[in-house]
Amino acid sequence: MTPGTALSLARPVRDRAARVPAFANGAAGEAPGDSEDEAAGLLAALGGAAVLLGADLGVDLLTEAAARLLGVAAHPTGAGEKLKDLLDRSHLGPAARQALGSLARLDGKGSACLRSGAGAKILARRVALPHRRTALLLTPDRPPPEAPLGQHADPLTGLADRAGFIAAVTARLGQTPAEGGGAFGVLVLDLDRFHVVNDTLGPAIGDQVLIAVAARLRAALRAGDLPARLNGDEFAVLIHAGTGVAELEALARRLMDTLGRPYLPDGQPVSLSLSVGIARAPEDGTAADTLLRRAAIALHAAKAAGRARLAAFTPEMQARSETRRQMETDLRRAFALRQFELHYQPQVELPDNRLFGFEALLRWRHPARGFIPPDQFVPVAEEVGLIAPIGAWVLAAACAEATRWPAPLTVAVNVSGLQFEQGDLLGAVASALDRTGLAPERLEIEITESALLVNPEATLGILHQLRERGVRIAMDDFGTGYSSLTRLQSFPFDRIKIDRSFVSGRRGLAEGRAIVRAIAGLGASLGMRTIAEGVETEEQLASVRAEGCTEVQGYLFGRPAAVCDLPAVIAGFGRRAAQVTEIPV
Amino acid sequence: MTPPPLHRVIYVSRSRIGGTEARLRAEIDAILAVARPRNAAENITGALLFTRTGFAQALEGPLAAVQATFERIQRDPRHGDVLVLASEPAGQRLFAGWAMADAGLVAGTHPLLSAASPAAAPVLTLLRDLAREAEHLPVV
């Protein structure tokens, strides 16, 4: 074997022939050099940091890990280097060099704690070997401090930025246990609804809060943990030690407590909560981007379960996330390829069963999976920010279709609560009406009660502006959620839609009837029309009519129909009405 | 030169100091021993009231100093569930001369402080009255 060729060894320093006599009195049969090579190979394989010294304190072997710890080149530096010379070219300070030199000269076992030039502590242990040889085993007491961030610093907070964090995680993944590597944790932290701070108090205050969050984060961590700002209000931490799930969760809870306390930017109190996702190396990944992505998946799960929570990554989360991502890809494609269609279900006025309009219902015709119901894809569309463009398309298409119907037939369009927050709902309605020329009073916007929960003032403001334009507003699915009388009173709705579950008797016939009666009574006293959904049988029709509903919708009067079938549906209602008027009373 | 405008913060929080009343008293003494010289140096005045379950504190001084002090207090693990009752410009100091008045231990839980969201004004009045009662001489 040629010196210097052994894999990952900074190999010897002295010439084998010169060394042999020192070992020649060893056991017969086996060249001591071979067993030394084996020992060296073993050390290297274990990734250990060790310096093997001969009787004269010449360096026989320097493992790559030891070279890194001492800050010396890992390549051979010439034959016969003395320990003293090795230490002189290391980055150890004079005191540490002296301590290590004394340790090497000791008889028997001993240890010393050294401080390297980079500020990291190194624990050195002396092990006496046969033939007056010595091994110095080095372990980092802590990982060396992170290299100065330089261009990887986030300019606002001074924390590491995303690239710096990924570099640090990657470096950490490359470290062996002996170098302070091994298991570690990655936390991703997200400030809940931080955009509200920016929107209401302005970005300058938002920045002050981010700076304060970063300072608290830094102060809450132990030396060796690396905090970073990934982007916007998303932070991450590399957790060096204490990496069991329970320990990481306890740390996450501590951070949620500290960082979730009030801030005083510019003297104004700001309250925040945060959500945390946890991933662990190596269990959850052995590449930086995998770990970060999985921590983000866990974060997402924590947020989905309600904010101000934490979650540790599990493989089930990965599966759910993949399904969702596939759905997202399909949705974006569907939008581009116009795979969405609107179907229209007749809405009928009592007591004479007169058609007064249609509810537009979104359908997605997936090329492989057929029709996908909205409850399966709308939540994903909301999550990925597609709901505003899809919602705008629905408004435009529904208004365009309604212009082809005889006036005054109306079209009802469902609007997601998120369209009030994310999209320009007023603009979308205005453009749909202007472009199609549909009379505003022929358009009805259906909102659910939950849309009024998030930001009631802003939402009510938009509803009033829609109303000023002449558009009608209906409260959808009433009875299923909070069913707050206060919310019903907060806006003069034109119509209350009674959820189908009360009509179908699924919640108990008597109970369903009682609720239908109560809502119909409420509507009557508030001057709002009430429409019962899901009416499928004559008995149900008789029941909701008896309880006072003014309108119905359901399979009894027609399923949602494609655009091409609508003329026939409308004509059918015309004939029925004609029959009714022709029958002598 | 006109002095910087005054700012006042009033908050309540839940105590995480367990154990006996003596232990609580000892912790409070430790808090005050650290806070007073620092507050005096930073031109902060105020009062601290504590019960078995929580704290109420008023801090007043130049905005930057109030912010820094408040931030330091937020990092203290001896309390949590911090609720800011008021944070506003102050015309004058209400605790002038008190680097941190010890408004003392109120037995049990004070109804003002155990409310879900106490009003700022009565808490401030309470702090002021208790501070005057408990400390006959201003602490410098």
Side-chain angles (χ1 to χ4, degrees):
Chain A
M1 184 168 131
T2 326
T5 57
L7 255 183
S8 63
L9 283 181
R11 183 70 200 142
V13 197
R14 43 169 63 187
D15 137 29
R16 180 168 294 195
R19 195 182 54 201
V20 168
F23 301 92
N25 54 356
E30 190 183 71
D34 291 343
S35 71
E36 188 224 354
D37 278 346
E38 276 169 24
L42 186 63
L43 264 172
L46 292 173
V51 187
L52 295 187
L53 302 171
D56 54 354
L57 294 186
V59 178
D60 278 344
L61 178 111
L62 172 69
T63 68
E64 214 170 68
R68 215 166 20 240
L69 269 182
L70 296 173
V72 296
H75 54 80
T77 52
E81 183 174 37
K82 295 286 184 196
L83 175 65
K84 183 180 174 306
D85 300 324
L86 173 69
L87 294 179
D88 283 347
R89 67 189 176 94
S90 78
H91 64 191
L92 295 181
R97 269 183 256 160
Q98 197 176 0
L100 199 56
S102 312
L103 182 69
R105 282 189 293 275
L106 271 181
D107 280 335
K109 289 183 182 175
S111 65
C113 189
L114 316 167
R115 193 167 279 281
S116 83
K121 275 197 262 175
I122 301 171
L123 192 66
R125 278 176 301 145
R126 176 184 193 276
V127 179
L129 300 177
H131 313 300
R132 298 178 52 234
R133 298 177 70 222
T134 300
L136 295 175
L137 306 179
L138 309 176
T139 15
D141 203 30
R142 282 203 175 283
E146 299 305 327
L149 293 167
Q151 58 181 353
H152 287 322
D154 167 47
L156 181 68
T157 61
L159 300 182
D161 64 8
R162 178 180 283 273
F165 189 73
I166 286 182
V169 172
T170 305
R172 174 60 196 255
L173 283 162
Q175 285 174 345
T176 62
E179 298 162 321
F184 66 95
V186 170
L187 305 187
V188 174
L189 299 78
D190 187 80
L191 307 180
D192 297 327
R193 307 186 61 77
F194 180 74
H195 65 96
V196 175
V197 175
N198 267 338
D199 292 350
T200 55
L201 300 174
I205 297 284
D207 282 356
Q208 278 194 42
V209 173
L210 290 173
I211 291 167
V213 167
R216 277 192 207 171
L217 181 58
R218 208 185 263 122
L221 296 174
R222 294 158 297 194
D225 297 342
L226 176 77
R229 178 175 175 232
L230 298 180
N231 55 50
D233 56 356
E234 198 171 69
F235 294 81
V237 188
L238 191 168
I239 303 297
H240 167 60
T243 54
V245 172
E247 291 165 294
L248 288 172
E249 285 181 353
L251 175 63
R253 262 188 285 276
R254 193 158 60 78
L255 295 178
M256 288 163 74
D257 170 28
T258 314
L259 274 57
R261 296 184 186 190
Y263 296 86
L264 281 186
D266 223 21
Q268 307 179 58
V270 169
S271 293
L272 290 174
S273 65
L274 55 153
S275 305
V276 183
I278 302 171
R280 298 186 306 146
E283 290 91 333
D284 297 334
T286 50
D289 58 344
T290 311
L291 283 167
L292 210 49
R293 198 168 56 240
R294 295 192 160 176
I297 288 173
L299 169 70
H300 194 93
K303 283 198 165 253
R307 298 182 168 93
R309 283 169 202 249
L310 63 88
F313 176 81
T314 64
E316 296 77 56
M317 287 177 189
Q318 176 82 30
R320 274 201 301 277
S321 147
E322 272 160 18
T323 310
R324 203 173 46 226
R325 206 175 44 242
Q326 185 59 48
M327 177 78 93
E328 178 186 343
T329 313
D330 288 357
L331 263 179
R332 291 189 191 282
R333 186 175 301 145
F335 188 61
L337 296 180
R338 310 220 170 270
Q339 288 171 1
F340 293 116
E341 290 174 19
L342 291 180
H343 286 202
Y344 295 88
Q345 185 170 37
Q347 297 183 310
V348 171
E349 194 174 50
L350 300 177
D352 52 1
N353 300 349
R354 188 181 57 84
L355 176 74
F356 73 87
F358 291 92
E359 178 181 1
L361 295 159
L362 183 58
R363 294 284 184 269
W364 173 12
R365 194 195 288 274
H366 192 286
R369 294 162 58 191
F371 277 119
I372 300 179
D375 58 350
Q376 281 185 26
F377 69 85
V378 167
V380 180
E382 289 181 334
E383 214 170 86
V384 302
L386 268 175
I387 199 66
I390 292 177
W393 175 82
V394 169
L395 276 164
C399 289
E401 175 57 26
T403 56
R404 296 182 199 113
W405 308 335
L409 287 184
T410 58
V411 65
V413 175
N414 292 280
V415 163
S416 150
L418 278 183
Q419 282 173 266
F420 287 89
E421 274 191 83
Q422 294 178 353
D424 172 18
L425 181 60
L426 280 172
V429 169
S431 120
L433 291 173
D434 293 345
R435 294 224 310 249
T436 61
L438 184 74
E441 58 276 11
R442 292 180 65 193
L443 173 64
E444 182 166 274
I445 298 292
E446 292 190 7
I447 68 157
T448 57
E449 208 178 354
S450 56
L452 277 171
L453 280 177
V454 179
N455 191 350
E457 281 172 35
T459 305
L460 286 174
I462 293 172
L463 290 182
H464 278 291
Q465 291 184 63
L466 288 171
R467 166 61 64 74
E468 273 163 36
R469 236 200 113 109
V471 175
R472 302 197 177 164
I473 313 289
M475 166 75 89
D476 201 4
D477 296 342
F478 195 74
T480 54
Y482 299 85
S483 305
S484 151
L485 181 57
T486 320
R487 264 186 290 280
L488 211 49
Q489 282 180 306
S490 65
F491 186 82
F493 293 97
D494 295 279
R495 191 172 277 118
I496 308 170
K497 301 197 75 177
I498 302 173
D499 191 70
R500 60 179 64 245
S501 58
F502 304 112
V503 176
S504 65
R506 204 176 71 216
R507 298 182 185 229
L509 277 174
E511 190 192 336
R513 276 193 82 139
I515 289 173
V516 172
R517 187 185 314 141
I519 299 176
L522 206 55
S525 60
L526 291 170
M528 301 171 187
R529 308 189 67 78
T530 43
I531 180 165
E533 291 189 271
V535 173
E536 296 179 7
T537 66
E538 291 289 350
E539 290 76 23
Q540 289 167 354
L541 175 63
S543 163
V544 299
R545 191 198 303 244
E547 299 307 347
C549 290
T550 56
E551 291 145 8
V552 295
Q553 176 180 344
Y555 287 0
L556 183 63
F557 290 99
R559 294 170 179 259
V563 166
C564 58
D565 297 329
L566 288 184
V569 173
I570 294 171
F573 272 95
R575 275 197 300 280
R576 258 191 254 181
Q579 281 163 15
V580 169
T581 48
E582 279 164 21
I583 295 170
V585 184
Chain B
M1 199 180 95
T2 51
L6 285 175
H7 193 88
R8 185 182 303 116
V9 173
I10 305 160
Y11 75 86
V12 291
S13 63
R14 205 178 298 280
S15 168
R16 291 190 182 155
I17 303 169
T20 61
E21 206 156 282
R23 159 107 205 281
L24 180 61
R25 186 65 249 185
E27 280 286 355
I28 301 296
D29 287 344
I31 290 171
L32 291 172
V34 173
R36 281 176 175 153
R38 197 175 221 162
N39 289 348
E42 294 185 12
N43 213 358
I44 293 277
T45 54
L48 174 67
L49 163 74
F50 55 100
T51 71
R52 287 303 304 263
T53 54
F55 298 94
Q57 189 173 31
L59 293 167
E60 54 191 20
L63 176 59
V66 170
Q67 282 177 303
T69 307
F70 183 80
E71 187 56 32
R72 218 160 32 232
I73 292 169
Q74 296 317 299
R75 296 180 192 180
D76 195 321
R78 288 172 290 198
H79 70 157
D81 298 329
V82 180
L83 180 64
V84 176
L85 304 183
S87 174
E88 56 205 5
Q92 55 173 21
R93 289 186 192 264
L94 293 178
F95 301 93
W98 280 302
M100 188 48 59
D102 181 354
L105 174 70
V106 174
T109 57
H110 194 281
L112 258 185
L113 305 186
S114 50
S117 55
V123 171
L124 187 60
T125 311
L126 176 72
L127 278 169
R128 196 155 179 237
D129 293 349
L130 288 173
R132 294 212 160 137
E133 217 171 276
E135 303 201 352
H136 300 295
L137 291 174
V139 176
V140 179

